[in-house]
């Protein structure tokens, strides 16, 4: 399944992840026989589309992209700044996988709410985006480790600890000392995707690799893990870049 419906003349040649600065960027190479030259465009979901004209290979397009990596980095940073500054009342964000609108709290002047969350907006508190992000982070700290520990109990895992962090490129990790780290942005993902990441990291306590045994074990605990992986690969880049 592909994220966008390409017009009939466009053909997806390759989909790859590249590193741009401290971020990962999804790049889709598409063939457009009518294109006269190579075109690189950042998409609204912060993936990149490289339109490859007839007669040029993906390898050549990739080399072009590598040469213009700093251009891409600048564009990405601009786009991020715009989004962060623009977040305001009336905008929608994801909370536990559901779109919720940021709106004034009718019961408390000077407060905003989104979903079941309320945040006080004071003068000089540094913009709405910062406040919303802080609230989401706090919520992640409240909910994610508790969820992970509950799963650990049920399935007999013994993590040395569960922490919430702010990595830019990973949903979770499991250290060699048995510490599970979870990305705070998982609070925005739907429960099935959040649980997949939690179970994935817990299974690493038994299999510190991505061997066939690892996946087999994970699949018994998380039968819907392919759907979760797909959700994360489709919507993850946007969540990773949004904050
Ligand atoms: Zn893994």
């Amino acid at each position: 399944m592909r994220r966008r419906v390409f017009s009939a003349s466009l053909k997806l040649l390759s989909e790859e992840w590249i590193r741009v600065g401290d971020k990962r960027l999804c790049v889709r190479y598409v063939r457009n026989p009518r294109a006269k030259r190579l075109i690189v465009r950042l998409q609204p979901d912060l993936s990149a589309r490289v339109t490859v004209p007839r007669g040029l290979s993906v390898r050549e397009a990739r080399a072009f992209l590598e040469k213009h990596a700093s251009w891409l980095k600048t564009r990405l940073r601009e786009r991020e700044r715009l989004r962060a500054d623009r977040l305001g009342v009336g905008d929608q964000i994801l909370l536990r996988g559901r779109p919720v609108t940021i709106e004034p709290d009718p019961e408390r002047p000077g407060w905003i709410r989104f979903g079941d969350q309320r945040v006080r907006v004071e003068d000089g508190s540094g913009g709405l985006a910062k406040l919303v992000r802080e609230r989401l982070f706090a919520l992640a700290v409240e909910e994610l480790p508790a969820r992970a520990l509950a799963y650990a109990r049920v399935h007999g895992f013994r993590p040395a600890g569960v922490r919430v962090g702010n990595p830019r490129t990973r949903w979770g990790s499991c250290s060699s000392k048995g510490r599970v780290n979870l990305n705070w942005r998982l609070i925005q993902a739907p429960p099935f995707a959040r649980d997949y990441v939690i179970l994935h990291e817990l299974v690493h306590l038994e299999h510190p690799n991505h061997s066939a045994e690892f996946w087999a074990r994970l699949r018994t605990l998380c039968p819907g893990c392919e759907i979760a992986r797909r959700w994360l690969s489709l919507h993850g880049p946007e969540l990773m870049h949004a904050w």
Side-chain angles (χ1 to χ4, degrees), residues 143-159 162 180 182 190-203 205-206 217-218 220-224:
E143 294 186 8
L144 300 178
R147 186 81 185 159
L149 292 173
Y151 266 130
R153 259 195 311 276
V154 169
H155 298 301
F157 295 106
R158 293 173 175 275
V162 181
V180 168
L182 300 170
F192 70 88
R194 170 203 65 196
D195 288 353
Y196 158 73
V197 174
I198 288 172
L199 288 166
H200 181 122
E201 301 311 333
L202 288 175
V203 172
L205 294 167
E206 284 176 9
R217 175 81 165 116
L218 182 54
T220 62
L221 302 182
C222 181

Side-chain angles (χ1 to χ4, degrees), residues 172 196 200-201 204 207-216 218 229:
Y196 158 73
H200 181 122
E201 301 311 333
H204 274 320
H207 304 276
N209 49 49
H210 290 125
S211 59
E213 290 78 18
F214 166 86
W215 288 111
L218 182 54
R229 278 159 63 85

